[in-house]
Amino acid sequence: MFYHLSCEPMNIIHSHPVAELGYHFIEAKHLPKGKDEYYLRFAQSGNKVMYRELTDKEIDTLITNRNSSDNWKKVLVTKGFNPALVRNCKFFGLVRIGKLQPYYREYHNLRMAVGLYNSTIISSDIGDNVCIENVHYLSHYIIGHDVMLANINELACTDKAKFGNGILKAGEVEKQRVKIEVCNENGGRSIIPFDGMLAGDAYMWSKYRDDRELLEKFREFTQNQFDAQRGYYGTIGDRTIIKNCSIIKDVKIGSDAYIKGANKLKNLTVNSDPDRQSQIGEGCELVNGIIGYGCRIFYGVKAVRFITASHSQLKYGARLINSYLGNNSTISCCEVLNTLIFPAHEQHHNNSFLCASLVMGQSNIAAGATIGSNHNSRSADGEILAERGFWPGLCVSLKHNSKFAAFSILSKGDYPHELNIPIPFSLISHDVPNNRLVIMPAYWFMYNMYALARNAWKYQDRDKRTFRTQHIEYDYLAPDTINAMFDAIKLFRALDKNEKGEAIITGWENSKRPILLTKIVQAEEVFTKMIKFYACREFLSHIQAHALIDFDAFKKTLASRVSRSEWMNVGGQLIRKDRIASLKKNIKSGKVRNWEEVHQFYRREGSEYQQEKLLHAYTSLQEILNITGKQFTREVWSDLLKDMQSTAAWMVKGIYDSREKDYSNEFRKMMYDNQEEMDQVIGKLEDNSFIQEQMAAMDKLAKEIRSLKRKWRL
C-alpha cells in the first residue's frame, strides 16, 4: 500500500452533477430576496435585445455540426442567428447568442470567419457577428459586437470578481482587500485602487497618513463607488480582439482593445474605447491592476498591484509592482516597486531601478540608476521624494531618506549619504577626489537651457489625455518653482561667500563632510531674472486674453496680496495649499461625498488656475522688486518689458548654445570624415526645428512688446 506522507494539504477537487455546470453562479446566501442568479447579468446586458428559443430545425443543424448542450432550451438566440456558423462547441447553462452572418473578419492579417467554433461556452452572452475559435473555456462573460476571440485557454469570470478595484464583495473580510503599497515598502502609505483613480487621489491618500478620518472617508468613497453584490460578469467591449492568450480571469475589457499573446491577465480593468485604444502584447503577466485608456503594455511585462494612468506604456520586460504610473509615462525594461509616479515620467533602461519613491513628474531615470535600493535602517521603511523635473544621471545610487527640489539633476555617482537638496534647478555632484558634495544652483538655465525648454514643450505636446480632469503644469516657471527660487535667494543672501561666489554649507547631507555651493552670485541673478520673466509672461498672456486697452485697465485687474500663496503639486496639478486644506475639511464634514466630487474640485481649481497664477505672479513681482502695488507704474512696466525681451533673447541664445556644443565638440566630430557626413547623420544645427520654433517665438514676443508699447504709449 502507498500512503500520502506530505505535510502539504492536498488539492480538494469537488464533484457536482454535470447538469449543474453553468448554473448557481451566485450562491443562494448571496442572492437578494426575489432575485435569481441572472439578475446582475441581465442588468449589465440591458433589455434591448429580444431573444428566442431555438427551433427544432436549428437544434438539428447544431447537433449535426457536432455541437452539444445540457439543455437546448437554455441556448437563446436573436433574429439573424445562423446555426450553420456554430460548429464543434459545447454549451452549458444559459447562453445567449446574437446574429451570425456569413462573413469573415480581418484585423492585422488575422482572418476569422464569423461564428462559434471548437469552443466550450458556459453561461455567457455573445453579441452580433462575433468570431470565436478555439476558446477552450469561456465562462460567465458578456461579449460585445464584432469581437474576435482566437486560441484562448481560459476566459472566465468568478462571482466575486472586482476587476482590479480594491473593494470587498459580500462575505469577504478586510484582509482580502487588494491594496497598492506606494512610496514605502512597509505598507504605511497603502492606497486602495479604483477605476478612475487620478494621481492626485493617490497622492493625497498616501500623504495624509496622520489624518485617520480623511483616510476612512477615502476608503468609504472607494467601497461605495462599486456594488458589493456578487455575481457581476466579465465584459468585453465591441470590436475588441483577443488572440493566442493563456489565462484571462476576472477581467473587464473595454471596446476596441487589442490583446495578443498574454500569459496571464487576472483581476483587471482594461479601459479602452474607439479614440483611446489600449493594447496588451506578448508574454505579459498582469495581476490586480487598473489599466487606463490608451495604454500600451508589450513584450514580457510583469505588473502586480498597479495602476497605469491613461496613455502610459510598459514595454520590454518592465516590472511594475505596488506602484502607480501617471499619465503619458513610459517604463521600459527596468524594475519599479512601491512607487507613486506623477505624469510624464520616462525610464527606459534595463539596469535602472526605482523603489519606495514619490516622483512628482516630468522625470527621467537614466541607465544604471538605483533609486531607493539601499536601506539604512533595520526595516524597509525608507523613502525618496523627488519634486518634478527629477533627472538622476547614469549609475546614480541614492540612499534612503532623500529629498530633492524641483528640476534636480544628479551627475553620475554613488551618493553615500542621505540628501536633502532644497534649491531648484541644481546640478548635484559627488566630488570623490575631494570627498565632498557639490551643488550648482540654476545649472539648467546657465548650461542646459535647450533640454529644459525642449522638455517643457515635449511634455505638453505628448499629453494625449482626452479628458483632462487635472490641469497638469508642465512649465518650469510656475508657482511651485518660483516660490522655491525665492527661498533659494533668501538662503544665498544669508551665506558667507568667498571671492569666487562659493560657500560651504551644512545640513543638506547626513554627514560631516563639506558641501560646496558654487556660482551663488550668478544663480541669484538668474533666479531674479526668471522671476521677473515669469511675471511679465503671465501679464502679457492676461492682457491678450482679455484685450485690455491700456495700462490703467490692466492694473485694475490685478489684486495685491500680503504674501505669495503656498502651492502643492497634487498629482501634477499645482493647487494652493489652503485650497487643499479646505478640500480635506469638506471631505471630513461630508460636504464632498465621493470621488467624483473630489474630481470636480480638481476641475474647478484647473479652471481658476490661470487667474491664481496671475495673482501669484503679481505678488512675486512686487516682492522681487521690493515695491508695493501703488509703485507698480507705467514706467516700471515699460522697463520690465524691455528686460523681458532681453531675457527672452538670453534664453534662446542659451537654447542654441547648449545644443551647439554637440556640433563643435571635437570628440563628437571625430566620428565623421567630413561635415557632410555629420550633417547626414545628426542633421544640421540650423535645421533644428525646436530651435527654429524658439527663435520664431522670440521674434513674435518682440513684435508683441513693440505693439503693446505703441498702443499703450509706454
Side-chain angles (χ1 to χ4, degrees):
M1 296 179 66
F2 294 95
Y3 297 93
H4 180 76
L5 299 179
S6 172
C7 61
E8 294 292 329
M10 68 180 70
N11 291 338
I12 300 174
I13 302 175
H14 300 283
S15 296
H16 303 281
V18 70
E20 295 182 4
L21 180 58
Y23 302 96
H24 313 302
F25 183 55
I26 308 173
E27 292 184 57
K29 65 182 179 181
H30 295 304
L31 276 173
K33 187 176 181 180
K35 301 291 186 181
D36 62 21
E37 66 169 300
Y38 304 119
Y39 82 103
L40 290 175
R41 170 183 176 179
F42 293 164
Q44 285 179 273
S45 295
N47 299 316
K48 296 179 181 179
V49 180
M50 297 297 294
Y51 291 99
R52 61 171 177 82
E53 292 186 7
L54 295 165
T55 65
D56 291 341
K57 184 177 180 180
E58 288 172 332
I59 294 174
D60 289 342
T61 301
L62 290 168
I63 293 173
T64 300
N65 289 341
R66 302 181 65 185
N67 300 290
S68 65
S69 173
D70 64 303
N71 183 349
W72 286 113
K73 290 186 178 297
K74 290 291 186 178
V75 178
L76 305 181
V77 298
T78 66
K79 183 179 180 180
F81 170 75
N82 185 342
L85 304 182
V86 182
R87 300 175 187 173
N88 199 29
C89 291
K90 298 176 183 179
F91 299 101
F92 298 93
L94 177 63
V95 177
R96 304 190 296 179
I97 307 171
K99 69 180 179 182
L100 301 175
Q101 297 174 293
Y103 304 131
Y104 81 84
R105 301 293 198 183
E106 180 177 0
Y107 183 81
H108 288 189
N109 295 320
L110 173 67
R111 299 177 178 91
M112 295 180 65
V114 167
L116 284 56
Y117 307 98
N118 308 311
S119 300
T120 296
I121 300 172
I122 301 170
S123 192
S124 295
D125 289 348
I126 298 170
D128 294 341
N129 291 320
V130 165
C131 307
I132 297 179
E133 185 163 0
N134 296 329
V135 180
H136 301 302
Y137 186 82
L138 168 56
S139 174
H140 296 93
Y141 257 84
I142 299 170
I143 298 169
H145 304 311
D146 304 306
V147 168
M148 301 171 69
L149 306 177
N151 305 323
I152 303 170
N153 288 343
E154 179 182 351
L155 176 58
C157 187
T158 64
D159 70 307
K160 57 182 181 294
K162 308 173 197 58
F163 310 114
N165 297 295
I167 60 171
L168 298 179
K169 288 291 188 174
E172 292 186 321
V173 296
E174 185 63 30
K175 69 179 182 180
Q176 294 174 278
R177 189 188 299 276
V178 172
K179 297 180 180 180
I180 302 178
E181 297 176 357
V182 297
C183 300
N184 195 303
E185 289 181 272
N186 69 2
R189 296 191 186 274
S190 296
I191 61 176
I192 300 175
F194 62 90
D195 186 16
M197 177 178 250
L198 300 175
D201 307 332
Y203 172 69
M204 288 196 295
W205 203 327
S206 66
K207 172 64 178 172
Y208 297 112
R209 305 309 289 191
D210 57 331
D211 194 333
R212 294 187 178 182
E213 187 179 357
L214 180 69
L215 300 183
E216 177 59 22
K217 286 292 185 180
F218 287 159
R219 189 197 65 80
E220 291 176 6
F221 287 178
T222 304
Q223 184 67 36
N224 294 339
Q225 190 158 322
F226 304 92
D227 189 353
Q229 291 296 321
R230 295 181 179 225
Y232 281 91
Y233 279 38
T235 56
I236 299 175
D238 298 346
R239 299 173 302 280
T240 282
I241 293 89
I242 307 175
K243 67 177 185 180
N244 305 326
C245 295
S246 294
I247 299 171
I248 301 175
K249 188 172 184 179
D250 290 351
V251 180
K252 175 183 176 183
I253 304 170
S255 74
D256 301 278
Y258 184 31
I259 301 174
K260 57 177 180 176
N263 291 343
K264 183 175 184 178
L265 307 178
K266 183 178 179 182
N267 190 29
L268 305 172
T269 290
V270 182
N271 287 295
S272 181
D273 64 20
D275 299 318
R276 300 168 294 175
Q277 302 171 354
S278 288
Q279 298 183 12
I280 299 173
E282 295 84 350
C284 292
E285 296 169 7
L286 314 176
V287 179
N288 298 335
I290 306 291
I291 297 169
Y293 288 96
C295 285
R296 302 284 190 271
I297 302 177
F298 289 126
Y299 308 131
V301 166
K302 316 299 180 189
V304 181
R305 296 180 181 246
F306 70 98
I307 293 178
T308 57
S310 66
H311 306 288
S312 57
Q313 300 184 69
L314 298 173
K315 301 186 294 186
Y316 309 126
R319 282 87 74 204
L320 183 73
I321 301 170
N322 270 313
S323 295
Y324 183 107
L325 180 63
N327 309 89
N328 304 296
S329 297
T330 298
I331 293 178
S332 301
C333 310
C334 56
E335 186 170 7
V336 176
L337 310 174
N338 304 93
T339 293
L340 171 54
I341 302 174
F342 290 1
H345 174 79
E346 301 285 333
Q347 190 168 350
H348 295 283
H349 305 285
N350 189 50
N351 54 349
S352 66
F353 180 76
L354 181 62
C355 180
S357 302
L358 169 60
V359 181
M360 305 183 84
Q362 297 151 64
S363 37
N364 195 313
I365 308 297
T370 54
I371 311 302
S373 63
N374 50 347
H375 302 291
N376 58 330
S377 74
R378 291 176 178 84
S379 176
D381 57 2
E383 299 179 20
I384 301 286
L385 192 160
E387 296 184 26
R388 63 192 184 102
F390 182 55
W391 279 55
L394 295 169
C395 299
V396 162
S397 177
L398 296 175
K399 199 164 191 175
H400 289 97
N401 291 334
S402 288
K403 187 175 181 180
F404 300 93
F407 296 93
S408 291
I409 182 169
L410 290 89
S411 65
K412 179 179 179 179
D414 183 359
Y415 292 80
H417 307 288
E418 301 94 320
L419 301 173
N420 182 9
I421 310 301
I423 299 180
F425 303 100
S426 291
L427 171 64
I428 302 155
S429 304
H430 182 203
D431 183 359
V432 176
N434 294 299
N435 188 29
R436 64 186 181 184
L437 190 70
V438 179
I439 312 293
M440 184 193 298
Y443 162 81
W444 287 95
F445 297 112
M446 291 189 283
Y447 298 106
N448 206 5
M449 194 68 217
Y450 178 88
L452 186 62
R454 188 179 181 279
N455 287 336
W457 166 84
K458 176 182 71 175
Y459 297 136
Q460 185 67 53
D461 183 66
R462 296 179 182 178
D463 190 344
K464 299 178 181 178
R465 292 176 300 152
T466 303
F467 299 100
R468 303 190 177 191
T469 302
Q470 290 201 264
H471 177 91
I472 307 302
E473 177 61 271
Y474 296 113
D475 201 302
Y476 51 85
L477 297 179
D480 61 335
T481 53
I482 295 299
N483 284 355
M485 287 184 200
F486 272 108
D487 293 341
I489 290 172
K490 182 178 179 181
L491 172 67
F492 295 157
R493 292 174 179 174
L495 290 173
D496 183 15
K497 298 177 280 291
N498 63 23
E499 66 279 0
K500 294 181 180 180
E502 300 173 340
I504 299 297
I505 58 173
T506 59
W508 294 6
E509 183 180 60
N510 188 18
S511 75
K512 296 181 180 179
R513 66 179 186 166
I515 302 171
L516 180 65
L517 192 62
T518 67
K519 297 188 180 295
I520 298 172
V521 175
Q522 297 96 315
E524 181 176 345
E525 291 176 354
V526 169
F527 283 171
T528 301
K529 185 184 298 186
M530 300 317 297
I531 292 170
K532 291 193 283 187
F533 182 84
Y534 159 75
C536 291
R537 188 190 63 188
E538 295 306 311
F539 291 170
L540 279 182
S541 177
H542 175 65
I543 290 167
Q544 293 166 354
H546 296 85
L548 300 174
I549 60 174
D550 57 30
F551 178 79
D552 292 336
F554 162 54
K555 190 172 179 181
K556 286 179 182 178
T557 65
L558 302 177
S560 293
R561 286 179 170 161
V562 175
S563 61
R564 283 176 287 111
S565 49
E566 295 184 70
W567 293 71
M568 297 176 62
N569 183 348
V570 182
Q573 180 175 3
L574 300 184
I575 303 176
R576 278 175 40 188
K577 196 171 183 178
D578 59 330
R579 299 281 179 84
I580 293 296
S582 296
L583 172 64
K584 290 164 56 182
K585 181 179 178 181
N586 290 337
I587 289 171
K588 290 186 288 186
S589 70
K591 189 174 181 180
V592 173
R593 297 164 294 179
N594 51 51
W595 284 116
E596 174 53 33
E597 292 184 0
V598 173
H599 296 176
Q600 289 174 9
F601 166 82
Y602 296 150
R603 285 189 282 268
R604 285 195 303 271
E605 289 299 312
S607 66
E608 297 173 8
Y609 178 61
Q610 283 307 124
Q611 181 63 24
E612 288 295 334
K613 194 175 178 183
L614 173 71
L615 297 180
H616 177 270
Y618 186 43
T619 307
S620 299
L621 181 68
Q622 292 177 62
E623 183 173 345
I624 201 67
L625 296 180
N626 193 25
I627 63 173
T628 64
K630 187 175 182 180
Q631 292 172 310
F632 179 52
T633 62
R634 299 167 59 89
E635 292 73 23
V636 171
W637 176 227
S638 180
D639 290 342
L640 283 168
L641 287 172
K642 182 179 179 181
D643 289 345
M644 182 188 189
Q645 190 170 346
S646 175
T647 300
W650 172 79
M651 293 169 71
V652 171
K653 184 178 184 301
I655 291 170
Y656 182 90
D657 289 348
S658 57
R659 182 64 174 131
E660 194 271 338
K661 295 174 188 175
D662 297 333
Y663 288 80
S664 59
N665 186 310
E666 290 300 324
F667 284 86
R668 287 181 175 267
K669 293 172 67 175
M670 71 182 180
M671 303 308 298
Y672 314 103
D673 291 340
N674 51 58
Q675 186 66 43
E676 289 73 21
E677 181 187 354
M678 182 174 176
D679 291 343
Q680 288 298 317
V681 174
I682 65 174
K684 295 181 180 180
L685 178 60
E686 57 268 25
D687 292 338
N688 184 293
S689 60
F690 179 72
I691 291 177
Q692 289 179 339
E693 289 174 8
Q694 296 304 303
M695 289 181 171
M698 181 183 67
D699 292 339
K700 181 182 177 183
L701 176 63
K703 291 177 182 178
E704 290 172 352
I705 290 174
R706 287 197 299 269
S707 175
L708 184 67
K709 284 189 170 185
R710 184 175 65 254
K711 291 178 181 178
W712 286 15
R713 298 180 181 178
L714 296 174

